[in-house]
Amino acid sequence: MERHEVDDWAAGIRAPHDAELMMGYGELAARLEGTEHPDAWRAAFARWDELRRDWSSWANLTRLRYSQDTRREDYRSAQRELDGRAPRVTAFEKSAKRRFLTPEGRRALGPELGAQAFALWDADVSAYDDAIADDLVRESALRREYTELLARATVPFAGEQRSLGELGLALQDPDRAVRRSAEHARWAAFSERAERLDAIFDELVRVRDRMARTLGFDDYVALGYRRMHRIDYGVEEVARYRDEIANVVVPFARDLVRRAGARAGLERVFYWDESCLGVEKRVAPLGDRGWILARTREALGEIAPALGDFAAMMLERRLFDVDARPGKALGAYCTNFPTRRHPFVFANFNGSRADVRTLMHELGHAFQQWESRDKAALDYTNPTYESAEIHSMALEYLSWPQMERFFGQAAAAYRSEHLLGAMLFLPYGAAVDHFQHLVYRHPGATPAERHEMWQEMERRYLPWRDYGDLAYPSAGGLWQEKRHIYVAPFYYIDYTLALCCALQFWSQANTGRGAAVAAYVELCGRGGEAPFRELVRSAGLRSPFEPGVVGEVVAAASAALSETENRT
Ligand SMILES: [Zn+2]
C-alpha cells in the first residue's frame, strides 16, 4: 500500500460543493447589507476565513495527492476538478475582497489586521475577471501537462529504467564519468520531448499574455507581479538587484568555479562537475529515510526547543512523503491544511546529500506555517514567497552545526559545498528571472528565439558554464527543466532574495547563535502579516534591494570559503 493511503489526518477533508460555497458567500453579503457596525463586519470576516480554510484544505490535499502519483486516475480527475472550479471560487473571493476593501471594511478590520491583508486583496482584485476564467483553466491544463510529461519520463540508466527524480543521486556521483552519463540520460529525456516542451510553454506564454491584456495590463510582467503579490517593490528594484548580482556575484562565482576546478585537478569544469565542486569525496547521509527523519528530530531540538517540539509533532503525525518513485511529480514543497492547522512535507529523496538540505528547507517552511497556524486571517498563515523562502533557507544554514549528525566527518565538506552552491545559485536565479522578463515582454517570440534568449542569459550570468558534449543544454534548452518557469511564473528571484537574507542569519549565527535563532523563530511567528521589506527589517536583517547588501553577503561567504580552502 502506498504510504499516502494511510494518512488518517486527511480523512474528512472534502471538496465544498459549489452550492455550499455560493450559499456561504451569499450569506456573507447578506450579513453586511446595510450595516456599518464593525462587529457585523468582523463576524462576516471570520465566516469568510472559515470558508477559505475549507476550500484551501481541499485544494492543497488535491494538489498533494496529484503530485504523489500523477498516474492515478482518481487523483488526476480531482486535480482537473480543482483546476476547473478554481476560477469560480476566485470570482467569489474577488467579490468578498471588494467588500472588505471598502471604507467600512477597512475601518472594521484594519485595527486587527493591519495594512498587509488589504494590499494583498487589492492585488488579487486587479488580477482576476470572469473574462479570463477560460484562460485560467487552460493555463492549469498546460501546467498539468508539463508536470506529467516529466513525472512519467523514465530513462535507461545503469541497466534499469529510472524516473528523473531517481536519477538525482547519480548526478552527484563522485565519479565524473557517472555524472556525465547521468546528465546524458537526463537530457535525452528532454530531447525526446522537446517539441511538447516548446509547445506547452509557447501556449502558456500566449495564454498569460492574453489574460494580462484582457485585464488591461500592458503585458504579463505587470500581471505576474500582482499574482506574485509583490507589494513593496517592483520591476525597477528587481532589475537593479539583478544588475548587482551580475556585477558583484558573477565575477566572484566565476573565480570560485575556476579555483575549485583547479583544486580538483580539472582542466575544464563541465556542467556535470558543478554539482561536485568543493566536494572531493562522497558526501551522503549515513542512513536511510527513517534514519534521517529520526536525526532531524534531534537536530532541530538542539537548535531550539520550539523546533524540536515541532519536529516531534511532524513525525508523530507522519506529515511527510519524501521518497522518489515513478509517477511522482518532481521537486519538493511544503503544503498545509488550514482546517487541520498543520503542514505537510513533500520531497523526492534519492540518497544524496540534497535529501538533508531539502528536508531542512521544507521543514523551515513547515515550521513557519506551524507557528502561524492561528493567525487571524488565512492570508497571514503564509507570507509572500520571497519572505517564505527566508524561513526555509535560513533553517538550512542555522542547522549547519547539526550536520555531523547526518554526515559524520563529511559534514565540513557538506557545509563548504552548500555555501559554494549558494554563490553559484544567485546568478542562476537572476538568469531565470531575467529570462522570464524577456519572454513576457516579447510574447510573440518563437520557441527558437526563446532558446536564444536563455543563451543570452547564460552569457551574462553563467559565463563559466561549459556543457561539453551535452547537446540539448548547449542549444539553449536548460531552462526547460525549471518547473517554476512553466508552473509559477516569476517565482524564482524570490529564492535569491531570500538567500541574501538567510545568509545574513548565517553570518549573525557565526557571532551570536542564540540571538540569531531567536530572531528566526520570531520571524516565523509573524507569518505573512507584513510585506517583504518590513518582515526583513523587523528580523534585524537588511533588504537585498539596499545597495551594497549583496556585496556584503558575498564578502562574508568569500571569507568563509577561503578559510576552508586554506585548511584543505
Ligand atoms: Zn522553499
Side-chain angles (χ1 to χ4, degrees), residues 285 288-300 307 310-311 314-315 319-323 332-334 344-349 352-367 391-393 395-396 399 403 406-407 414 520:
D288 62 8
R289 180 237 300 147
W291 182 90
I292 292 174
L293 291 177
R295 299 291 82 71
T296 298
R297 183 203 298 239
E298 302 158 8
L300 294 197
L307 276 157
F310 153 76
M314 292 290 288
L315 284 161
L319 302 175
F320 296 95
D321 174 5
V322 295
D323 295 317
Y333 64 84
C334 174
F344 187 95
V345 166
F346 171 95
N348 277 284
F349 277 15
S352 76
R353 62 182 183 274
D355 292 354
V356 173
R357 195 187 134 192
T358 301
L359 188 62
M360 290 303 146
H361 181 102
E362 300 308 336
L363 282 171
H365 286 307
F367 178 64
H391 311 124
S392 52
M393 289 179 148
L395 192 59
E396 293 178 32
S399 60
M403 287 300 119
F406 300 95
F407 298 106
Y414 169 88
Y520 170 76

Short mmCIF file of all heavy atoms in Angstrom, two decimals, residues 285 288-300 307 310-311 314-315 319-323 332-334 344-349 352-367 391-393 395-396 399 403 406-407 414 520:
data_model
loop_
_atom_site.label_atom_id
_atom_site.label_comp_id
_atom_site.label_asym_id
_atom_site.label_seq_id
_atom_site.Cartn_x
_atom_site.Cartn_y
_atom_site.Cartn_z
N PRO A 285 24.16 11.25 3.26
CA PRO A 285 23.69 10.93 4.61
C PRO A 285 24.04 9.49 4.99
O PRO A 285 24.07 8.61 4.12
CB PRO A 285 22.17 11.14 4.53
CG PRO A 285 21.84 11.30 3.09
CD PRO A 285 23.07 11.70 2.37
N ASP A 288 19.20 5.77 5.96
CA ASP A 288 18.07 5.88 5.02
C ASP A 288 17.05 6.91 5.52
O ASP A 288 17.29 7.63 6.47
CB ASP A 288 17.43 4.51 4.82
CG ASP A 288 16.85 3.96 6.12
OD1 ASP A 288 16.82 4.70 7.13
OD2 ASP A 288 16.43 2.79 6.13
N ARG A 289 15.90 6.89 4.86
CA ARG A 289 14.90 7.92 5.15
C ARG A 289 14.48 7.95 6.63
O ARG A 289 14.47 9.01 7.26
CB ARG A 289 13.67 7.69 4.27
CG ARG A 289 12.58 8.70 4.50
CD ARG A 289 11.24 8.10 4.89
NE ARG A 289 10.72 7.19 3.91
CZ ARG A 289 9.99 6.11 4.20
NH1 ARG A 289 9.74 5.81 5.45
NH2 ARG A 289 9.54 5.34 3.25
N GLY A 290 14.18 6.78 7.18
CA GLY A 290 13.73 6.72 8.58
C GLY A 290 14.81 7.25 9.51
O GLY A 290 14.53 7.98 10.47
N TRP A 291 16.03 6.89 9.19
CA TRP A 291 17.17 7.33 10.00
C TRP A 291 17.33 8.85 9.92
O TRP A 291 17.51 9.52 10.93
CB TRP A 291 18.42 6.60 9.47
CG TRP A 291 19.69 6.90 10.22
CD1 TRP A 291 20.19 6.23 11.30
CD2 TRP A 291 20.64 7.94 9.92
NE1 TRP A 291 21.38 6.80 11.69
CE2 TRP A 291 21.68 7.85 10.86
CE3 TRP A 291 20.70 8.95 8.93
CZ2 TRP A 291 22.78 8.71 10.86
CZ3 TRP A 291 21.78 9.81 8.93
CH2 TRP A 291 22.81 9.68 9.89
N ILE A 292 17.22 9.37 8.71
CA ILE A 292 17.34 10.83 8.53
C ILE A 292 16.26 11.56 9.33
O ILE A 292 16.53 12.54 10.02
CB ILE A 292 17.24 11.22 7.03
CG1 ILE A 292 18.46 10.71 6.27
CG2 ILE A 292 17.10 12.73 6.86
CD1 ILE A 292 18.37 10.92 4.76
N LEU A 293 15.03 11.05 9.25
CA LEU A 293 13.93 11.74 9.95
C LEU A 293 14.14 11.70 11.47
O LEU A 293 13.89 12.67 12.17
CB LEU A 293 12.58 11.11 9.58
CG LEU A 293 12.12 11.35 8.13
CD1 LEU A 293 10.81 10.63 7.84
CD2 LEU A 293 11.97 12.84 7.82
N ALA A 294 14.65 10.58 11.97
CA ALA A 294 14.90 10.48 13.42
C ALA A 294 16.00 11.46 13.84
O ALA A 294 15.89 12.13 14.87
CB ALA A 294 15.28 9.05 13.79
N ARG A 295 17.07 11.57 13.02
CA ARG A 295 18.15 12.52 13.33
C ARG A 295 17.62 13.95 13.29
O ARG A 295 18.08 14.82 13.99
CB ARG A 295 19.30 12.39 12.33
CG ARG A 295 20.03 11.06 12.25
CD ARG A 295 20.85 10.75 13.46
NE ARG A 295 20.06 10.19 14.55
CZ ARG A 295 19.51 8.98 14.57
NH1 ARG A 295 19.63 8.15 13.55
NH2 ARG A 295 18.83 8.56 15.62
N THR A 296 16.65 14.18 12.42
CA THR A 296 16.10 15.53 12.26
C THR A 296 15.45 16.01 13.55
O THR A 296 15.60 17.16 13.95
CB THR A 296 15.08 15.52 11.12
OG1 THR A 296 15.76 15.15 9.93
CG2 THR A 296 14.45 16.88 10.92
N ARG A 297 14.75 15.10 14.20
CA ARG A 297 14.10 15.49 15.46
C ARG A 297 15.18 15.94 16.47
O ARG A 297 15.04 16.98 17.12
CB ARG A 297 13.32 14.30 16.01
CG ARG A 297 12.56 14.64 17.29
CD ARG A 297 12.27 13.40 18.12
NE ARG A 297 11.42 12.46 17.42
CZ ARG A 297 10.22 12.06 17.88
NH1 ARG A 297 9.75 12.54 18.99
NH2 ARG A 297 9.52 11.17 17.22
N GLU A 298 16.26 15.18 16.56
CA GLU A 298 17.33 15.55 17.50
C GLU A 298 17.97 16.88 17.09
O GLU A 298 18.22 17.75 17.91
CB GLU A 298 18.44 14.48 17.50
CG GLU A 298 17.96 13.09 17.87
CD GLU A 298 18.92 12.00 17.36
OE1 GLU A 298 20.02 12.32 16.85
OE2 GLU A 298 18.52 10.82 17.46
N ALA A 299 18.24 16.99 15.77
CA ALA A 299 18.95 18.18 15.29
C ALA A 299 18.15 19.44 15.55
O ALA A 299 18.67 20.43 16.07
CB ALA A 299 19.24 18.03 13.80
N LEU A 300 16.86 19.41 15.21
CA LEU A 300 16.05 20.61 15.39
C LEU A 300 15.89 20.95 16.87
O LEU A 300 15.89 22.12 17.26
CB LEU A 300 14.69 20.47 14.71
CG LEU A 300 14.67 20.38 13.19
CD1 LEU A 300 13.29 20.67 12.64
CD2 LEU A 300 15.67 21.32 12.54
N LEU A 307 11.60 24.24 17.91
CA LEU A 307 11.82 23.48 16.67
C LEU A 307 11.79 21.97 16.95
O LEU A 307 11.28 21.20 16.14
CB LEU A 307 13.16 23.87 16.05
CG LEU A 307 13.13 25.13 15.18
CD1 LEU A 307 14.51 25.75 15.09
CD2 LEU A 307 12.61 24.80 13.78
N PHE A 310 8.23 20.86 17.42
CA PHE A 310 7.58 20.87 16.10
C PHE A 310 7.96 19.62 15.30
O PHE A 310 7.10 18.95 14.71
CB PHE A 310 7.99 22.15 15.36
CG PHE A 310 7.97 22.05 13.89
CD1 PHE A 310 6.76 22.07 13.20
CD2 PHE A 310 9.15 21.90 13.17
CE1 PHE A 310 6.74 21.94 11.82
CE2 PHE A 310 9.13 21.77 11.80
CZ PHE A 310 7.92 21.79 11.12
N ALA A 311 9.26 19.27 15.30
CA ALA A 311 9.70 18.08 14.55
C ALA A 311 9.04 16.83 15.11
O ALA A 311 8.62 15.93 14.36
CB ALA A 311 11.22 17.96 14.60
N MET A 314 5.55 16.62 13.75
CA MET A 314 5.53 16.23 12.33
C MET A 314 5.72 14.72 12.19
O MET A 314 5.08 14.07 11.37
CB MET A 314 6.65 16.96 11.57
CG MET A 314 6.47 18.45 11.41
SD MET A 314 5.14 18.91 10.29
CE MET A 314 5.82 18.48 8.68
N LEU A 315 6.64 14.16 13.00
CA LEU A 315 6.93 12.73 12.91
C LEU A 315 5.79 11.90 13.47
O LEU A 315 5.38 10.90 12.87
CB LEU A 315 8.23 12.41 13.67
CG LEU A 315 9.49 12.83 12.92
CD1 LEU A 315 10.68 12.93 13.85
CD2 LEU A 315 9.78 11.83 11.80
N LEU A 319 3.70 13.49 8.79
CA LEU A 319 3.37 14.53 7.81
C LEU A 319 4.47 14.67 6.76
O LEU A 319 4.92 15.78 6.45
CB LEU A 319 3.10 15.85 8.55
CG LEU A 319 1.97 15.77 9.59
CD1 LEU A 319 1.83 17.07 10.37
CD2 LEU A 319 0.64 15.40 8.94
N PHE A 320 4.91 13.53 6.23
CA PHE A 320 5.97 13.51 5.23
C PHE A 320 5.64 12.51 4.12
O PHE A 320 5.09 11.46 4.39
CB PHE A 320 7.29 13.00 5.85
CG PHE A 320 7.86 13.85 6.94
CD1 PHE A 320 7.59 13.57 8.27
CD2 PHE A 320 8.69 14.92 6.64
CE1 PHE A 320 8.13 14.33 9.28
CE2 PHE A 320 9.24 15.69 7.65
CZ PHE A 320 8.97 15.40 8.97
N ASP A 321 6.01 12.84 2.90
CA ASP A 321 6.11 11.85 1.82
C ASP A 321 7.36 12.23 1.05
O ASP A 321 7.34 13.16 0.25
CB ASP A 321 4.88 11.88 0.90
CG ASP A 321 5.07 10.94 -0.30
OD1 ASP A 321 6.09 10.22 -0.34
OD2 ASP A 321 4.19 10.93 -1.19
N VAL A 322 8.46 11.54 1.32
CA VAL A 322 9.75 12.04 0.83
C VAL A 322 10.49 11.10 -0.13
O VAL A 322 11.58 11.44 -0.58
CB VAL A 322 10.69 12.39 2.01
CG1 VAL A 322 10.13 13.55 2.82
CG2 VAL A 322 10.93 11.20 2.92
N ASP A 323 9.92 9.93 -0.45
CA ASP A 323 10.67 9.01 -1.32
C ASP A 323 10.40 9.28 -2.79
O ASP A 323 9.26 9.45 -3.20
CB ASP A 323 10.28 7.56 -1.02
CG ASP A 323 10.69 7.16 0.38
OD1 ASP A 323 11.83 7.50 0.76
OD2 ASP A 323 9.88 6.54 1.08
N ALA A 332 10.27 19.39 -4.58
CA ALA A 332 9.92 19.29 -3.17
C ALA A 332 9.14 20.53 -2.80
O ALA A 332 9.36 21.60 -3.37
CB ALA A 332 11.18 19.20 -2.32
N TYR A 333 8.21 20.39 -1.89
CA TYR A 333 7.49 21.57 -1.41
C TYR A 333 6.85 21.26 -0.06
O TYR A 333 6.82 20.12 0.38
CB TYR A 333 6.42 22.02 -2.42
CG TYR A 333 5.30 21.05 -2.67
CD1 TYR A 333 4.20 20.99 -1.83
CD2 TYR A 333 5.32 20.19 -3.77
CE1 TYR A 333 3.17 20.10 -2.06
CE2 TYR A 333 4.29 19.29 -4.00
CZ TYR A 333 3.21 19.25 -3.15
OH TYR A 333 2.19 18.36 -3.37
N CYS A 334 6.38 22.32 0.56
CA CYS A 334 5.65 22.17 1.81
C CYS A 334 4.26 22.73 1.59
O CYS A 334 4.11 23.80 1.01
CB CYS A 334 6.37 22.95 2.91
SG CYS A 334 5.46 22.98 4.44
N PHE A 344 2.57 19.85 5.71
CA PHE A 344 2.95 18.54 5.19
C PHE A 344 4.13 18.74 4.24
O PHE A 344 4.16 19.69 3.47
CB PHE A 344 1.78 17.92 4.42
CG PHE A 344 2.02 16.49 3.99
CD1 PHE A 344 1.57 15.43 4.78
CD2 PHE A 344 2.72 16.20 2.82
CE1 PHE A 344 1.80 14.11 4.40
CE2 PHE A 344 2.95 14.89 2.44
CZ PHE A 344 2.49 13.84 3.22
N VAL A 345 5.12 17.83 4.33
CA VAL A 345 6.33 17.97 3.51
C VAL A 345 6.37 16.91 2.41
O VAL A 345 6.24 15.72 2.69
CB VAL A 345 7.59 17.89 4.40
CG1 VAL A 345 8.84 17.69 3.55
CG2 VAL A 345 7.73 19.16 5.24
N PHE A 346 6.55 17.38 1.20
CA PHE A 346 6.63 16.52 0.01
C PHE A 346 8.04 16.66 -0.56
O PHE A 346 8.57 17.77 -0.67
CB PHE A 346 5.62 17.02 -1.01
CG PHE A 346 5.70 16.38 -2.39
CD1 PHE A 346 4.90 15.30 -2.71
CD2 PHE A 346 6.58 16.87 -3.36
CE1 PHE A 346 4.96 14.72 -3.98
CE2 PHE A 346 6.64 16.29 -4.63
CZ PHE A 346 5.82 15.22 -4.93
N ALA A 347 8.70 15.54 -0.87
CA ALA A 347 10.05 15.63 -1.44
C ALA A 347 10.34 14.37 -2.26
O ALA A 347 9.51 13.45 -2.33
CB ALA A 347 11.09 15.78 -0.33
N ASN A 348 11.48 14.35 -2.89
CA ASN A 348 11.93 13.19 -3.68
C ASN A 348 13.33 12.79 -3.21
O ASN A 348 14.32 13.09 -3.86
CB ASN A 348 11.98 13.56 -5.17
CG ASN A 348 10.62 13.44 -5.84
OD1 ASN A 348 10.17 12.33 -6.13
ND2 ASN A 348 9.97 14.56 -6.08
N PHE A 349 13.42 12.10 -2.09
CA PHE A 349 14.72 11.65 -1.58
C PHE A 349 15.33 10.65 -2.56
O PHE A 349 14.63 9.81 -3.11
CB PHE A 349 14.56 10.94 -0.22
CG PHE A 349 14.48 11.87 0.95
CD1 PHE A 349 14.24 13.22 0.80
CD2 PHE A 349 14.65 11.38 2.25
CE1 PHE A 349 14.17 14.07 1.90
CE2 PHE A 349 14.57 12.20 3.36
CZ PHE A 349 14.33 13.55 3.18
N SER A 352 21.04 11.20 -1.80
CA SER A 352 22.15 12.16 -1.92
C SER A 352 22.11 13.14 -0.76
O SER A 352 21.16 13.18 0.02
CB SER A 352 22.03 12.92 -3.24
OG SER A 352 21.01 13.88 -3.14
N ARG A 353 23.17 13.97 -0.67
CA ARG A 353 23.22 14.96 0.39
C ARG A 353 22.09 15.98 0.27
O ARG A 353 21.69 16.62 1.24
CB ARG A 353 24.58 15.67 0.40
CG ARG A 353 24.89 16.45 -0.86
CD ARG A 353 26.25 17.09 -0.79
NE ARG A 353 26.52 17.88 -1.98
CZ ARG A 353 27.03 17.39 -3.11
NH1 ARG A 353 27.35 16.10 -3.20
NH2 ARG A 353 27.23 18.17 -4.15
N ALA A 354 21.55 16.11 -0.96
CA ALA A 354 20.45 17.05 -1.15
C ALA A 354 19.23 16.67 -0.31
O ALA A 354 18.41 17.53 0.02
CB ALA A 354 20.07 17.11 -2.62
N ASP A 355 19.12 15.39 0.05
CA ASP A 355 17.97 14.97 0.87
C ASP A 355 17.92 15.75 2.17
O ASP A 355 16.86 16.21 2.59
CB ASP A 355 18.06 13.47 1.22
CG ASP A 355 17.90 12.58 0.00
OD1 ASP A 355 17.61 13.11 -1.09
OD2 ASP A 355 18.07 11.35 0.14
N VAL A 356 19.06 15.89 2.82
CA VAL A 356 19.11 16.55 4.12
C VAL A 356 18.84 18.04 3.94
O VAL A 356 18.07 18.65 4.67
CB VAL A 356 20.47 16.33 4.80
CG1 VAL A 356 20.58 17.16 6.08
CG2 VAL A 356 20.67 14.85 5.10
N ARG A 357 19.46 18.60 2.92
CA ARG A 357 19.28 20.02 2.68
C ARG A 357 17.81 20.33 2.35
O ARG A 357 17.23 21.27 2.87
CB ARG A 357 20.18 20.45 1.52
CG ARG A 357 20.32 21.93 1.45
CD ARG A 357 21.09 22.35 0.22
NE ARG A 357 20.35 23.45 -0.38
CZ ARG A 357 20.60 23.92 -1.58
NH1 ARG A 357 21.54 23.39 -2.32
NH2 ARG A 357 19.91 24.92 -2.05
N THR A 358 17.23 19.51 1.49
CA THR A 358 15.82 19.70 1.12
C THR A 358 14.93 19.56 2.35
O THR A 358 13.98 20.33 2.54
CB THR A 358 15.40 18.65 0.07
OG1 THR A 358 16.25 18.81 -1.06
CG2 THR A 358 13.96 18.82 -0.35
N LEU A 359 15.24 18.58 3.18
CA LEU A 359 14.42 18.38 4.37
C LEU A 359 14.49 19.60 5.29
O LEU A 359 13.46 20.08 5.79
CB LEU A 359 14.90 17.12 5.11
CG LEU A 359 14.02 16.67 6.26
CD1 LEU A 359 12.62 16.30 5.77
CD2 LEU A 359 14.65 15.47 6.96
N MET A 360 15.68 20.13 5.50
CA MET A 360 15.81 21.32 6.34
C MET A 360 15.04 22.48 5.71
O MET A 360 14.36 23.24 6.40
CB MET A 360 17.30 21.71 6.50
CG MET A 360 18.11 20.75 7.34
SD MET A 360 17.40 20.56 8.98
CE MET A 360 17.76 18.85 9.30
N HIS A 361 15.16 22.60 4.42
CA HIS A 361 14.48 23.68 3.69
C HIS A 361 12.96 23.58 3.91
O HIS A 361 12.31 24.52 4.35
CB HIS A 361 14.83 23.58 2.21
CG HIS A 361 14.20 24.63 1.36
ND1 HIS A 361 14.89 25.72 0.91
CD2 HIS A 361 12.93 24.76 0.88
CE1 HIS A 361 14.08 26.49 0.20
NE2 HIS A 361 12.88 25.93 0.16
N GLU A 362 12.41 22.42 3.60
CA GLU A 362 10.95 22.28 3.68
C GLU A 362 10.47 22.35 5.13
O GLU A 362 9.38 22.83 5.41
CB GLU A 362 10.49 20.97 3.01
CG GLU A 362 10.85 20.85 1.52
CD GLU A 362 10.43 22.05 0.67
OE1 GLU A 362 9.49 22.77 1.05
OE2 GLU A 362 11.08 22.28 -0.39
N LEU A 363 11.29 21.88 6.05
CA LEU A 363 10.90 21.98 7.46
C LEU A 363 10.93 23.43 7.93
O LEU A 363 10.20 23.80 8.85
CB LEU A 363 11.79 21.10 8.33
CG LEU A 363 11.42 19.61 8.28
CD1 LEU A 363 12.47 18.77 8.99
CD2 LEU A 363 10.04 19.36 8.89
N GLY A 364 11.77 24.24 7.31
CA GLY A 364 11.75 25.67 7.62
C GLY A 364 10.40 26.28 7.24
O GLY A 364 9.79 27.00 8.02
N HIS A 365 9.93 25.94 6.03
CA HIS A 365 8.59 26.38 5.63
C HIS A 365 7.55 25.85 6.62
O HIS A 365 6.65 26.56 7.05
CB HIS A 365 8.22 25.82 4.26
CG HIS A 365 8.92 26.47 3.11
ND1 HIS A 365 8.92 27.83 2.91
CD2 HIS A 365 9.62 25.94 2.07
CE1 HIS A 365 9.59 28.10 1.80
NE2 HIS A 365 10.03 26.97 1.28
N ALA A 366 7.67 24.56 6.90
CA ALA A 366 6.65 23.89 7.73
C ALA A 366 6.62 24.51 9.12
O ALA A 366 5.54 24.73 9.69
CB ALA A 366 6.94 22.39 7.80
N PHE A 367 7.79 24.81 9.65
CA PHE A 367 7.84 25.42 11.00
C PHE A 367 7.14 26.77 11.00
O PHE A 367 6.35 27.09 11.90
CB PHE A 367 9.29 25.55 11.45
CG PHE A 367 9.44 26.20 12.80
CD1 PHE A 367 8.93 25.59 13.94
CD2 PHE A 367 10.07 27.43 12.93
CE1 PHE A 367 9.04 26.20 15.19
CE2 PHE A 367 10.18 28.04 14.17
CZ PHE A 367 9.67 27.43 15.30
N HIS A 391 12.47 31.63 5.61
CA HIS A 391 12.31 30.65 6.69
C HIS A 391 12.96 29.33 6.33
O HIS A 391 13.59 28.67 7.15
CB HIS A 391 10.83 30.41 6.98
CG HIS A 391 10.05 31.66 7.15
ND1 HIS A 391 8.95 31.97 6.40
CD2 HIS A 391 10.27 32.73 7.95
CE1 HIS A 391 8.49 33.15 6.76
NE2 HIS A 391 9.28 33.64 7.69
N SER A 392 12.78 28.94 5.06
CA SER A 392 13.31 27.64 4.62
C SER A 392 14.83 27.69 4.47
O SER A 392 15.55 26.84 5.00
CB SER A 392 12.66 27.25 3.31
OG SER A 392 12.79 28.30 2.36
N MET A 393 15.32 28.72 3.77
CA MET A 393 16.77 28.77 3.53
C MET A 393 17.54 29.05 4.81
O MET A 393 18.63 28.54 5.01
CB MET A 393 17.07 29.80 2.46
CG MET A 393 16.60 29.32 1.09
SD MET A 393 16.92 30.57 -0.17
CE MET A 393 17.21 29.53 -1.57
N LEU A 395 16.84 28.02 7.75
CA LEU A 395 17.00 26.79 8.54
C LEU A 395 18.09 25.89 7.95
O LEU A 395 18.80 25.20 8.68
CB LEU A 395 15.67 26.04 8.66
CG LEU A 395 15.68 24.90 9.70
CD1 LEU A 395 16.02 25.42 11.10
CD2 LEU A 395 14.36 24.15 9.72
N GLU A 396 18.25 25.94 6.61
CA GLU A 396 19.36 25.18 6.01
C GLU A 396 20.69 25.61 6.64
O GLU A 396 21.56 24.80 6.88
CB GLU A 396 19.46 25.46 4.50
CG GLU A 396 18.32 24.94 3.65
CD GLU A 396 18.54 25.33 2.19
OE1 GLU A 396 19.70 25.43 1.74
OE2 GLU A 396 17.53 25.57 1.49
N SER A 399 21.05 25.12 10.68
CA SER A 399 21.28 23.72 11.09
C SER A 399 22.69 23.25 10.75
O SER A 399 23.01 22.07 10.93
CB SER A 399 20.23 22.80 10.45
OG SER A 399 20.30 22.88 9.04
N MET A 403 25.05 19.23 11.25
CA MET A 403 25.25 18.38 10.07
C MET A 403 26.12 17.15 10.36
O MET A 403 26.03 16.15 9.64
CB MET A 403 25.80 19.20 8.90
CG MET A 403 24.76 20.10 8.28
SD MET A 403 23.31 19.19 7.63
CE MET A 403 21.97 19.86 8.62
N PHE A 406 24.22 13.95 10.50
CA PHE A 406 23.77 13.32 9.25
C PHE A 406 24.95 12.81 8.42
O PHE A 406 24.84 11.81 7.74
CB PHE A 406 22.99 14.34 8.40
CG PHE A 406 21.76 14.86 9.07
CD1 PHE A 406 21.79 16.05 9.78
CD2 PHE A 406 20.57 14.14 8.99
CE1 PHE A 406 20.65 16.53 10.40
CE2 PHE A 406 19.42 14.62 9.60
CZ PHE A 406 19.47 15.81 10.32
N PHE A 407 26.06 13.55 8.46
CA PHE A 407 27.15 13.25 7.52
C PHE A 407 28.44 12.80 8.20
O PHE A 407 29.42 12.53 7.51
CB PHE A 407 27.45 14.50 6.67
CG PHE A 407 26.30 14.93 5.82
CD1 PHE A 407 25.55 16.06 6.15
CD2 PHE A 407 25.94 14.20 4.69
CE1 PHE A 407 24.48 16.47 5.37
CE2 PHE A 407 24.86 14.60 3.90
CZ PHE A 407 24.14 15.73 4.25
N TYR A 414 30.17 19.09 3.37
CA TYR A 414 28.77 19.45 3.08
C TYR A 414 28.59 20.97 3.20
O TYR A 414 28.00 21.61 2.33
CB TYR A 414 27.82 18.73 4.03
CG TYR A 414 26.40 19.24 3.98
CD1 TYR A 414 25.49 18.72 3.06
CD2 TYR A 414 25.97 20.28 4.82
CE1 TYR A 414 24.19 19.21 2.99
CE2 TYR A 414 24.68 20.77 4.75
CZ TYR A 414 23.79 20.23 3.84
OH TYR A 414 22.51 20.73 3.76
N TYR A 520 15.07 34.32 14.25
CA TYR A 520 14.49 33.42 13.24
C TYR A 520 13.12 32.91 13.70
O TYR A 520 12.14 32.97 12.96
CB TYR A 520 15.45 32.26 12.96
CG TYR A 520 14.84 31.18 12.12
CD1 TYR A 520 14.66 31.35 10.76
CD2 TYR A 520 14.40 29.98 12.69
CE1 TYR A 520 14.07 30.37 9.98
CE2 TYR A 520 13.81 28.99 11.93
CZ TYR A 520 13.65 29.18 10.57
OH TYR A 520 13.06 28.21 9.81
#
